[in-house]
Amino acid sequence: MRVNRILLSTALIVVALVLQVSVLARLHLPGAVPDLLLLTVVALALVYGHVGGALIGFGAGLLADLAPPADHAAGRYALVLCVVGYLVGLARPGNGRLKSVTGPMLVVIVAAVGSTLLYAGVGALVGDTAARHVGLGGLLFTAALYDLLLAPFVVPGIMALARRAENDPLAEPSSAVKGTDISSGWLSSGTGLRIGGRRGGVTRLKAKARTRTTRVTRIKGVKRL
């Protein structure tokens, strides 16, 4: 991954996690909690593709596993977001730009439902049965609903930032200008040397021709005398 991708993804993930823990988790909404971290991973995966989405998802999930007040096994949410980021990245369009809102909204719903199911499934494997007591159906419905309501305020903005950082108007044009300046300077210097060499050679030929003409004129004058 490029440096600008890493810096932007890290900053967005940290901000999303802080808001998730300090604001959204304290709303005490019925059912699931709006997953701002999941929406951040989805938005970045839609721009960076499946490889970048998987890496970003794994890093975001691992950070959420280690950040307090996490009460589950470390690596559980990292696995979930890694899989989600990879699968969402496969839905990325060729140019990284989406033409309609329907596609991202469907991706958000599938990601919310899929992440909840995968999280509950991994929890069942490690002996965590909290989803059974809360009700898996209610969790799926509320997770999809909350994330769908929050997505229009999060996903488009993050995608715009990611595309802008991907194009990076400050770095690439400057490097291109530098390359152009270097190449043009090298060509101009080389051309100047060649032209100078040719000019010097022509001057020498003219001087020799003048010398020969003078000698011939002198010889003819002597003969006439």
Side-chain angles (χ1 to χ4, degrees):
M1 295 179 67
R2 299 178 182 178
V3 177
N4 53 354
R5 289 187 180 185
I6 296 175
L7 294 177
L8 178 63
S9 302
T10 303
L12 291 175
I13 288 170
V14 171
V15 172
L17 182 61
V18 170
L19 293 176
Q20 179 84 28
V21 174
S22 60
V23 178
L24 298 178
R26 297 183 179 183
L27 294 178
H28 301 291
L29 297 174
V33 177
D35 200 340
L36 184 59
L37 198 62
L38 174 67
L39 296 177
T40 304
V41 172
V42 168
L44 293 175
L46 287 175
V47 178
Y48 295 149
H50 59 282
V51 177
L55 294 175
I56 293 171
F58 179 80
L62 186 60
L63 187 61
D65 289 332
L66 299 177
D71 56 352
H72 55 268
R76 180 177 171 183
Y77 203 46
L79 175 61
V80 173
L81 288 186
C82 180
V83 174
V84 170
Y86 180 84
L87 295 178
V88 171
L90 294 177
R92 171 184 177 270
N95 57 357
R97 297 180 180 273
L98 298 172
K99 298 181 180 180
S100 64
V101 185
T102 306
M105 294 299 102
L106 291 177
V107 170
V108 168
I109 294 175
V110 174
V113 174
S115 62
T116 304
L117 288 175
L118 186 58
Y119 186 82
V122 176
L125 292 177
V126 297
D128 186 2
T129 59
R132 296 180 181 178
H133 300 289
V134 176
L136 185 58
L139 284 177
L140 293 176
F141 176 77
T142 53
L145 178 61
Y146 296 155
D147 292 344
L148 187 61
L149 293 176
L150 188 60
F153 303 98
V154 177
V155 176
I158 293 178
M159 291 182 66
L161 286 175
R163 285 196 299 264
R164 186 173 182 180
E166 188 73 5
N167 295 328
D168 199 0
L170 296 179
E172 294 179 358
S174 62
S175 62
V177 169
K178 289 181 180 179
T180 304
D181 293 339
I182 292 173
S183 61
S184 61
W186 180 78
L187 290 175
S188 62
S189 61
T191 305
L193 290 174
R194 290 177 182 176
I195 293 175
R198 290 177 182 176
R199 289 179 179 175
V202 172
T203 304
R204 291 176 183 176
L205 290 176
K206 288 183 179 180
K208 289 181 180 180
R210 290 176 182 175
T211 303
R212 290 179 182 177
T213 303
T214 305
R215 289 179 181 178
V216 170
T217 304
R218 290 178 181 178
I219 292 173
K220 288 182 179 181
V222 172
K223 289 182 177 180
R224 287 178 182 178
L225 293 173

